[in-house]
Amino acid sequence: MSSYQGETHGNSTFFESEEQVETKIVSVYTPLIYSAILIFSLIIFGSQYRKRRIAKMAELPSIFDDNDARDIHLALKELNEEQPVHEKVLKAALLNRGAESIRRSFKMKELEPQINILYKNGSIGEDYWQRYQNEVKLIELEFKQTLEEAQELQPGWLQMFVIVSKEICFNQALARRYNSILKRKKVCAEEWELKLDNNGRLIE
């Protein structure tokens, strides 16, 4: 009997000597803060990665000539920070920039079937194919930037901006074709020794 009591006493002593687990209260905002920090870090990383990727693409030689329309618009924006530039001038420069982006986009779509065939046949190398792919992405990015500029310059102007930019693009294309015809006519007249009056009619 005494032995049993001793065991009981021993067990009670053992359980009483167990360490007590300390419970800490964690604020409900702690997981939200950690999640916000994680999301913010991912956004920064994604933004930096995107900028480095765009810069790397821009280092490759462009298929087109220099983008004068974009350079003029950026120069006017920089000038506007020092002294005010009329809003109509900024709009005209931005429209011209948008028209150039649309022209290049149409040109790349026209070239796409031929480029794909040449690449599949092995007529063009991997470097030119990569240049073509990068050019398409850069043009898309350029047009997106013009849309953002238009919205910032005048909220609600976006839809009209796209319509007017397309009209400018088509009018410029017609003007280039007309000038090309005039140049060809002049070259042909010189080669064949033709005499033309002011209306372009042949003088016999």
Side-chain angles (χ1 to χ4, degrees):
M1 182 70 179
S2 60
S3 175
Y4 175 75
Q5 289 178 349
E7 291 178 0
T8 305
H9 178 72
N11 289 339
S12 63
T13 304
F14 173 75
F15 286 115
E16 289 176 357
S17 63
E18 284 186 347
E19 294 182 0
Q20 298 294 325
V21 179
E22 183 179 358
T23 304
K24 294 184 179 180
I25 300 175
V26 179
S27 173
V28 294
Y29 296 105
T30 302
L32 297 177
I33 294 173
Y34 286 147
S35 300
I37 293 174
L38 178 61
I39 293 173
F40 186 69
S41 301
L42 290 174
I43 292 174
I44 293 178
F45 174 78
S47 177
Q48 294 297 327
Y49 175 77
R50 182 168 171 266
K51 288 180 180 179
R52 288 195 298 267
R53 188 163 172 264
I54 292 172
K56 187 176 180 180
M57 288 192 302
E59 290 176 357
L60 293 174
S62 176
I63 297 176
F64 297 96
D65 296 332
D66 294 337
N67 195 336
D68 295 333
R70 180 190 60 197
D71 295 340
I72 292 173
H73 176 252
L74 293 178
L76 287 173
K77 277 189 63 180
E78 185 177 353
L79 179 62
N80 189 46
E81 296 177 357
E82 301 177 359
Q83 59 184 38
V85 177
H86 200 284
E87 183 179 347
K88 291 184 177 180
V89 177
L90 291 174
K91 283 185 176 181
L94 184 58
L95 284 168
N96 196 37
R97 180 181 175 184
E100 178 63 18
S101 298
I102 293 174
R103 182 187 76 84
R104 296 189 176 202
S105 178
F106 284 157
K107 194 66 178 178
M108 297 303 284
K109 289 180 181 178
E110 291 177 1
L111 293 174
E112 184 177 4
Q114 291 83 359
I115 294 293
N116 288 332
I117 293 174
L118 291 173
Y119 178 70
K120 290 179 181 178
N121 293 339
S123 299
I124 59 176
E126 190 69 30
D127 55 343
Y128 191 89
W129 171 255
Q130 188 63 41
R131 283 177 60 190
Y132 172 79
Q133 295 292 329
N134 290 340
E135 196 74 46
V136 171
K137 294 177 182 177
L138 288 173
I139 291 172
E140 292 176 354
L141 179 63
E142 167 67 11
F143 187 63
K144 182 180 179 181
Q145 289 178 350
T146 60
L147 297 179
E148 292 174 354
E149 292 278 354
Q151 183 64 22
E152 181 180 352
L153 187 59
Q154 181 179 330
W157 185 43
L158 198 58
Q159 184 176 359
M160 184 58 64
F161 172 81
V162 175
I163 294 174
V164 176
S165 295
K166 287 182 178 180
E167 290 180 355
I168 293 174
C169 177
F170 296 149
N171 289 336
Q172 290 176 346
L174 290 174
R176 284 192 295 269
R177 291 183 181 181
Y178 179 74
N179 292 331
S180 177
I181 292 173
L182 292 180
K183 290 179 180 179
R184 289 178 184 177
K185 184 178 69 173
K186 182 178 180 181
V187 170
C188 291
E190 291 176 354
E191 290 182 353
W192 298 341
E193 297 181 355
L194 301 176
K195 294 182 180 180
L196 305 175
D197 59 15
N198 295 331
N199 295 324
R201 296 178 180 178
L202 180 63
I203 299 176
E204 296 180 0

